Amino acid sequence: MSRIRAAYWDPEGEQYGLPTFWWRGAPEGYATRRQLRARGLCPGGQPIAAQVLWRGVGGERAAYLYRTDLARPKRTATPAVLAALAKAMRARRTCPTCRRVRPYVIPRSLGECLTCAPSEVAA
């Protein structure tokens, strides 16, 4: 075990206050938010159970871990929520000048679609 890895090995949490593991050294039963999301789960309000520390760009980096046995299934959007999101995205793609629905989001800097914007500004 290298000195750098040994500095981040604290499974009892005496040094860092949380059980701490090195990069790719966490035992089974722990996962990050992103890993939980990939499995269709969310932390479900549980506190951070452990952390992974490593040296990265800008200094020491941390990834927080949650227990997978306490994770809950993530909520799915209802049809009403999906309809509201679709309506909002359609409004963002509708040009206020020509009232056409474009295949892209209207740039806020222009305030209108690329066709309606003055040519020297849109270029």
Side-chain angles (χ1 to χ4, degrees):
M1 176 181 342
S2 69
R3 287 181 299 132
I4 294 171
R5 287 184 137 197
Y8 299 127
W9 182 253
D10 181 24
E12 286 80 36
E14 296 168 358
Q15 182 179 359
Y16 296 102
L18 281 172
T20 303
F21 305 100
W22 58 64
W23 180 255
R24 297 184 185 243
E28 291 293 320
Y30 291 106
T32 63
R33 281 184 179 270
R34 188 172 287 186
Q35 291 168 338
L36 289 174
R37 187 100 175 148
R39 296 181 196 172
L41 302 170
C42 68
Q46 65 173 301
I48 297 169
Q51 65 183 349
V52 173
L53 291 179
W54 72 96
R55 279 201 189 129
V57 176
E60 204 169 74
R61 307 282 309 260
Y64 299 115
L65 303 173
Y66 301 90
R67 291 180 40 190
T68 54
D69 60 336
L70 298 178
R72 295 182 183 161
K74 65 180 179 181
R75 297 184 316 178
T76 57
T78 64
V81 169
L82 293 175
L85 289 172
K87 186 177 178 182
M89 288 306 297
R90 184 178 175 89
R92 290 183 66 192
R93 292 185 293 118
T94 303
C95 177
T97 306
C98 65
R99 306 303 300 164
R100 288 190 181 159
V101 178
R102 300 294 179 177
Y104 54 87
V105 174
I106 304 299
R108 290 182 60 176
S109 60
L110 300 177
E112 53 192 2
C113 68
L114 299 177
T115 307
C116 296
S119 60
E120 64 272 0
V121 177

